[in-house]
Amino acid sequence: MTGMPKIREIQPKDDAQMKKILKFCLEEADLALPGTAYFDPQIGELAEYYAHTTRAKYFVAVADTDDDQVLGGCGIGPVADFEDICELQKLYLTPAARGQGLSKRLLAKSIAAAKAFGYERMYVVTDTKLPIANKLYQAQGFTRLPHALADDPHDGCDTWYIKDI
């Protein structure tokens, strides 16, 4: 991996790599559990899922020298019963892509997309088993919530944040 990775919208050719990255990251953190993204039905077809979900978008980071080498990704989607809140979803990176500011770049891209869709706040679900993710969200101005928003499908996670965007 030389140079600065590129960020672009997910394409169907990226689905298998993104599923592998997501599963690896959750297995690594002992979070391959029901109620986490590990068991989301759409993880094998993220491109189609986000293309057909209203006010949603998913981005992948790819190597600057190889548009087919996915290094990670994240996206946004609607939160049931909240017109003004989106959820930051599935922010995962390969081990080799970590520690280079890529999560911040993906988050910034997601916030820009959320604003373009008219969202005013961003919600994120994570877990205490992901301390680096928690540090990222806190450093980026997210405020910890005492509980999940209503109807959150990820009841296997134990930490929630929200941020005005």
Side-chain angles (χ1 to χ4, degrees):
M1 202 170 51
T2 60
M4 179 79 68
K6 293 180 286 197
I7 297 176
R8 61 167 170 75
E9 284 189 51
I10 195 168
Q11 299 169 10
K13 68 177 181 174
D14 306 322
D15 283 343
Q17 288 182 81
M18 211 42 242
K19 179 180 179 178
K20 187 177 175 185
I21 292 166
L22 181 151
K23 287 197 155 206
F24 172 84
C25 292
L26 289 171
E27 288 165 3
E28 180 183 49
D30 292 326
L31 286 169
L33 306 167
T36 70
Y38 196 88
F39 287 99
D40 284 358
Q42 71 274 15
I43 65 169
E45 51 197 32
L46 290 177
E48 183 180 354
Y49 174 80
Y50 283 91
H52 292 97
T53 301
T54 305
R55 297 173 76 209
K57 200 169 277 219
Y58 196 87
F59 300 99
V60 291
V62 295
D64 69 323
T65 55
D66 182 359
D67 193 60
D68 291 333
Q69 184 189 353
V70 177
L71 307 173
C74 81
I76 57 162
V79 175
D81 303 326
F82 295 94
E83 275 297 305
D84 66 326
I85 302 174
C86 69
E87 181 183 9
L88 182 72
Q89 299 173 333
K90 298 172 181 55
L91 172 53
Y92 298 103
L93 298 175
T94 63
R98 297 175 189 163
Q100 302 169 38
L102 206 43
S103 291
K104 289 179 192 151
R105 289 179 57 210
L106 284 161
L107 179 57
K109 194 89 168 162
S110 296
I111 289 172
K115 287 179 180 178
F117 283 129
Y119 293 114
E120 296 171 18
R121 294 184 288 164
M122 182 174 279
Y123 171 69
V124 65
V125 179
T126 189
D127 197 276
T128 49
K129 292 179 180 174
L130 298 168
I132 294 169
N134 280 275
K135 283 181 188 158
L136 170 72
Y137 300 131
Q138 291 166 11
Q140 296 298 310
F142 284 81
T143 302
R144 190 162 177 175
L145 294 171
H147 53 77
L149 293 181
D151 297 325
D152 189 316
H154 294 120
D155 57 6
C157 298
D158 66 5
T159 310
W160 313 271
Y161 293 96
I162 199 155
K163 170 186 172 90
D164 290 337
I165 54 172

